[in-house]
Amino acid sequence: MPRLVSPLKISSLTLALVWAPLVLAQEVAVPTPRAASSAPSLDVEVPDVALVDQTGREVKLWTDLVRGHTVAINFIFTRCKTICSPMTATVARVQKELGPRSNVRFISITLDVANDTPERMARFAEPFKPGPGWSFLTGEPAKVKEALVALGGYVPDKEAHRPTVLVGNAVSNTWTRVDGLGSPSAILSAIREVQAASAGPTELGPQARDAAAQDAAAAKYFTNTELVDQHGKTHRFYEDLVRGRKVLINFAFTACKGACSPITKHLTQVQEKLGGRVGKDITMITLSVDPANDTPKSLGTFTKKLGVQPGWYFLTGARENITLVLKKLGGYVDDPDAHNTTLLIGDSATGMWVKSPAMARVENIVYAVEHLNDPR
């Protein structure tokens, strides 16, 4: 595939774009976490093995699911007649209690890879109504075993497994185990303690230190400025839309008589090709360059007309808020008609960003997203 641009690997998240250089501080104060108080912190190294979720999509355990998030991980198998269903029901109550804006990822890994296909995992999960951000994982036996061993879930006899939920945060390197058959409040408490630990002092391992530095730099740069989407929902820009995901970002306005509608229609094909990943580990963002006129209602009409699907956020808001974000990304213009038509593709966790013409071939854009962090 012809490269869209020479990729830019950024140290401490320096985002350098030819039309508007954007530089982040390369030295950041790394938040040093303390262990959760309910139990001693565990030493966990999450392998970046490729597994398969309940939709049949391949995901990497560290890169796609754990990095940048607090996670709750348990171990189940679909033919289990004892603890697996009640434990999953408890975890489902925890996810519901945290609500849809939670940044917590839930992961259930099979102990019976010989029988648990993605389809069976999906059927097992269905009665519990898991929300977005909950992955039921299977895959190649060796890779599943590697994950189970690393996370402390492996047992030679699956029937003898314990109802354990591993709660942790890889940024702070804080991990603890909770009884999955206890009350949901115990798991919620562990999650909140692990989240709080990311703000306290302790020693980080090299992997966690790098991730913490990258996250701190990204949060400082992108900011948690509040913007409003086409449905009227308010989002914190970094934490809700950028952190822990690959992102595609472009600029448009609803009264545009030129490129905006064709570009949006073109990018709906990109969204279709990326499939169910959009809204999970990939976010699509269009920032209005005309916040004085682009209301959530007008953005909603615009997106409905052009076939935009969930997982793609068209953002407006107070002029000072959206101007701040536009300037950070090199998208601010005094005259909306003069806005640029570049597509930014990036991963704040790795600091890798590339730019592409928004009307580049769909296959090229999709390839750039899927292979963004490949070694060059």
Side-chain angles (χ1 to χ4, degrees):
M1 183 207 80
R3 286 184 176 174
L4 303 173
V5 293
S6 298
L8 302 168
K9 181 65 175 71
I10 310 304
S11 174
S12 294
L13 197 77
T14 301
L15 171 57
L17 303 174
V18 297
W19 70 88
L22 307 174
V23 181
L24 298 182
Q26 294 202 9
E27 294 183 5
V28 296
V30 180
T32 44
R34 62 181 178 275
S37 61
S38 61
S41 185
L42 306 169
D43 184 15
V44 176
E45 283 289 328
V46 181
D48 202 23
V49 291
L51 303 176
V52 182
D53 72 12
Q54 69 270 32
T55 70
R57 179 172 64 91
E58 182 178 279
V59 293
K60 289 190 174 181
L61 185 60
W62 165 260
T63 300
D64 296 333
L65 300 181
V66 175
R67 181 181 61 188
H69 294 273
T70 294
V71 295
I73 305 172
N74 70 333
F75 313 99
I76 52 105
F77 62 105
T78 63
R79 300 198 298 178
C80 176
K81 304 299 182 185
T82 53
I83 63 175
C84 295
S85 288
M87 177 170 52
T88 306
T90 298
V91 174
R93 289 175 62 189
V94 171
Q95 188 185 42
K96 184 177 180 181
E97 177 72 19
L98 287 170
R101 292 189 63 175
S102 167
N103 193 42
V104 177
R105 293 272 179 88
F106 293 84
I107 300 168
S108 297
I109 304 177
T110 184
L111 296 161
D112 185 15
V113 69
N115 292 292
D116 283 345
T117 62
E119 294 77 15
R120 286 180 177 173
M121 296 292 275
R123 285 198 297 271
F124 175 86
E126 186 176 6
F128 304 102
K129 296 179 170 57
W134 190 344
S135 301
F136 288 75
L137 302 178
T138 185
E140 297 177 15
K143 293 179 179 178
V144 171
K145 184 176 180 180
E146 182 181 352
L148 292 171
V149 170
L151 299 173
Y154 177 74
V155 286
D157 178 6
K158 59 184 178 293
E159 299 287 352
H161 79 285
R162 298 171 63 97
T164 299
V165 178
L166 177 66
V167 177
N169 184 296
V171 172
S172 65
N173 199 28
T174 306
W175 299 87
T176 188
R177 298 192 195 280
V178 188
D179 180 6
L181 292 180
S183 68
S185 61
I187 301 174
L188 281 166
S189 177
I191 288 171
R192 286 164 181 155
E193 287 177 350
V194 165
Q195 289 175 322
S198 64
T202 195
E203 184 178 355
L204 296 175
Q207 183 186 49
R209 188 182 300 114
D210 289 347
Q214 193 71 38
D215 186 63
K220 182 179 180 181
Y221 187 79
F222 288 108
T223 77
N224 274 321
T225 303
E226 291 191 344
L227 301 176
V228 184
D229 71 14
Q230 68 267 39
H231 307 294
K233 183 177 179 180
T234 299
H235 301 271
R236 298 165 297 179
F237 187 68
Y238 177 66
E239 288 189 11
D240 295 341
L241 300 177
V242 176
R243 172 187 265 164
R245 304 168 177 86
K246 294 177 181 177
V247 293
L248 294 82
I249 304 174
N250 75 307
F251 313 99
F253 67 109
T254 59
C256 177
K257 303 301 182 185
C260 298
S261 291
I263 286 174
T264 303
K265 193 65 178 176
H266 183 71
L267 292 178
T268 62
Q269 298 176 54
V270 174
Q271 182 178 32
E272 183 179 357
K273 287 285 187 182
L274 291 170
R277 296 184 65 183
V278 178
K280 291 187 69 176
D281 65 311
I282 296 173
T283 300
M284 296 179 68
I285 298 170
T286 297
L287 292 164
S288 171
V289 294
D290 186 18
N293 296 298
D294 280 347
T295 64
K297 183 177 180 180
S298 66
L299 288 170
T301 301
F302 183 80
T303 56
K304 185 175 181 180
K305 176 182 176 182
L306 293 167
V308 169
Q309 297 300 311
W312 185 351
Y313 301 89
F314 281 66
L315 301 175
T316 187
R319 177 180 289 276
E320 61 272 20
N321 287 2
I322 199 154
T323 295
L324 173 63
V325 176
L326 287 169
K327 286 183 175 180
K328 292 284 187 179
L329 296 169
Y332 178 77
V333 285
D334 291 321
D335 177 4
D337 284 312
H339 77 284
N340 77 60
T341 57
T342 301
L343 176 68
L344 308 183
I345 303 169
D347 185 341
S348 67
T350 64
M352 180 65 77
W353 292 83
V354 298
K355 68 185 180 89
S356 163
M359 293 296 285
R361 290 177 57 193
V362 169
E363 294 78 8
N364 287 6
I365 295 174
V366 171
Y367 186 94
V369 173
E370 294 179 338
H371 297 271
L372 183 65
N373 294 313
D374 287 358
R376 305 291 175 172

